[in-house]
Each structure stands twice: as structure tokens, then as C-alpha cells.
Amino acid sequence: MVQSINLKAITTLASVVRRPYLAAPHVFVPTVSEINYQALKDHCGIKAIIFDKDNTLTAPYENTLHPNAQIGLQSALDTFGTHNVAILSNSAGTDDDPNFIDGAEIEKSLGIAVIKHSEKKPGGLDEVMNHFPNVDEPSQLCMVGDRLLTDVVFGNLHGMLTVHILPLCSGDENSKDNTVAKVVRSLENKFMYADWWGGRKTRSYTLPHKFWKGEEECPLVLAEKNEVDEIDRLLGGKKKDNDEL
């Protein structure tokens, strides 16, 4: 499948330039398997989970669950139930997926719904809300994905709780990834996480969530991790200092 140009992301970019904190996630974890889904449900007012697909649950343009996402997806299903977990992808389920061929295959393979939507993230809110009849407002949704300018901005624009993860794949395993997406993802991550004043300031203005009071009061990260190492990995190796950015 070939992705068309994401016009919604381009038009939303002006808003992000003015308000870069829209791209700052509430939580950063290595994979979907390090998220405390029970805490999301019990203490954060979350009623449903939205996952991105490529490099979040599967390898790019593959329709089978990646091994590193298996525990996380099963935990989300055990906690919220099949009807309250779904995929919102910028490939499967969009106009780039004629006749919903890939979407249907993913639903069969992963056992969760793929939300059909004509406008790509950070658009698509109406289709998401229509998909979850038990959700009264977007703040009851948690958006999980590997892209800051699509997944995280989409969630933050509408008051969702946002979780940013590392891309699942690298090297040969990531060979099918969209070239533009790879380049833009790298730039997004360097802006947000590299050790420079702009990234630090942006993260300090992360939007508050209606129910979640912060990681110290309500931990959502299951595994203890060395944050420096994870950010280093996110940036593709050695962290750059200010002069290199």
C-alpha cells in the first residue's frame, strides 16, 4: 500500500509551530507492552484505547502483530475488552486502502477493529467518537503511537491522554517504512527529545489531561527504564549536543 500525502498533517503544522507543546506526549514508553492499562482504566478516566498500526503494533505495511507488541495488545484487550480497543491508521482504513482490503485482513489477524476514516490523523475525530458509543468525550480516550505530529498531536488537539512509543522496527525489519515518514519521524524526535532548550521547554508545557494527574501520582509506565538510554535509542544512537542541532 502506498500512502498519499497527509494534507491534514500539513495544514495542522501551522498550529504546531505556534503551539509546539501540542506534539508533547503525556507519557513516553519503549513499546505498547510497557503501558499500565489497568491504571489507565482505574485512575485516568480512560474508557477506550486507540492504537496506531505501523511501527506501533506491526512492522510497517505488515498485517501481523509484532512480537514486542503482543503483551501490550493482550493487556489492553483484557482490561478494556475487544469493543473498546481499535486501530486508527494513516494507511489501513483510509482512502489509501481501497475496498478496506488491508483493514479487513488486519482485523482478522489482530482481532481488533480498524476504524475507517477519510481524513488522516491528526484528523478523524468524528469517526473515532462514532466507533466508541460508550465514550462521552475525547478525554476518555488514550491515543498510543510512534509519531508526534500525527498520533500525539491528534490526541492532544482533542484532550486525549497521549502515549508516545519508540518505533517497533529498525534496520532491515523497517525496510518497508515510508521514506518520508522515516525522515519526518527522526526530525520530530530530535526536536522533542534532544538535549536542547527548545525540546526541554516544549516538554515542560505538556498539556494537562482532565483526569490523569501525572506520572508521580499515577504511574502509567510498567517497566523501569533508563530514560537516557531510551531517548538515545529514539534519536538513533548518540544524542547530539546543542551545537549539532
Side-chain angles (χ1 to χ4, degrees):
M1 185 193 307
V2 178
Q3 283 196 39
S4 61
I5 295 174
N6 188 344
L7 295 177
K8 183 64 176 179
I10 294 172
T11 57
T12 306
L13 185 59
S15 295
V16 178
V17 170
R18 293 194 304 271
R19 298 179 292 165
Y21 50 82
L22 285 172
H26 295 105
V27 179
F28 164 65
V29 294
T31 74
V32 301
S33 296
E34 276 80 39
I35 301 170
N36 188 335
Y37 294 96
Q38 196 63 54
L40 283 172
K41 182 178 181 180
D42 292 345
H43 305 296
C44 302
I46 301 301
K47 293 184 176 181
I49 304 292
I50 312 165
F51 287 111
D52 177 44
K53 174 191 169 289
D54 294 325
N55 259 324
T56 296
L57 294 179
T58 74
Y61 302 103
E62 296 291 339
N63 294 339
T64 56
L65 187 64
H66 192 281
N68 290 344
Q70 288 178 350
I71 293 175
L73 178 57
Q74 190 58 56
S75 179
L77 290 170
D78 291 344
T79 304
F80 290 93
T82 305
H83 297 299
N84 296 314
V85 179
I87 289 172
L88 186 71
S89 169
N90 275 352
S91 53
T94 69
D95 294 341
D96 295 339
D97 181 16
N99 301 317
F100 199 59
I101 293 173
D102 279 284
E105 185 176 331
I106 293 163
E107 289 184 337
K108 182 178 180 181
S109 175
L110 273 63
I112 59 175
V114 174
I115 300 174
K116 295 180 181 179
H117 57 114
S118 57
E119 192 175 51
K120 295 186 177 186
K121 291 173 291 185
L125 179 65
D126 289 344
E127 290 92 336
V128 168
M129 295 302 292
N130 289 336
H131 181 80
F132 297 113
N134 66 316
V135 172
D136 302 312
E137 57 182 84
S139 63
Q140 296 171 338
L141 295 167
C142 177
M143 179 71 223
V144 183
D146 70 303
R147 293 293 312 280
L148 294 172
L149 285 181
T150 55
D151 303 318
V152 173
V153 169
F154 168 68
N156 284 341
L157 276 171
H158 303 295
M160 301 176 194
L161 200 154
T162 53
V163 179
H164 184 223
I165 68 165
L166 288 166
L168 275 176
C169 304
S170 59
D172 292 342
E173 194 178 29
N174 202 40
S175 61
K176 292 184 180 180
D177 197 9
N178 181 286
T179 301
V180 174
K182 282 195 287 189
V183 172
V184 175
R185 183 194 297 115
S186 177
L187 293 173
E188 294 170 359
N189 292 338
K190 286 176 181 177
F191 172 84
M192 187 64 65
Y193 296 110
D195 188 15
W196 74 298
W197 70 269
R200 292 192 296 271
K201 184 175 182 180
T202 299
R203 295 195 302 275
S204 73
Y205 283 103
T206 299
L207 292 169
H209 182 256
K210 183 175 182 179
F211 303 108
W212 184 62
K213 302 305 180 185
E215 188 66 14
E216 289 189 7
E217 186 170 331
C218 180
L220 298 180
V221 181
L222 281 178
E224 273 191 33
K225 64 184 190 306
N226 185 320
E227 186 172 345
V228 173
D229 288 345
E230 294 303 334
I231 291 176
D232 186 41
R233 183 180 156 209
L234 184 68
L235 297 176
K238 181 182 177 182
K239 283 175 45 175
K240 299 179 182 296
D241 59 33
N242 296 349
D243 294 335
E244 295 177 271
L245 291 172

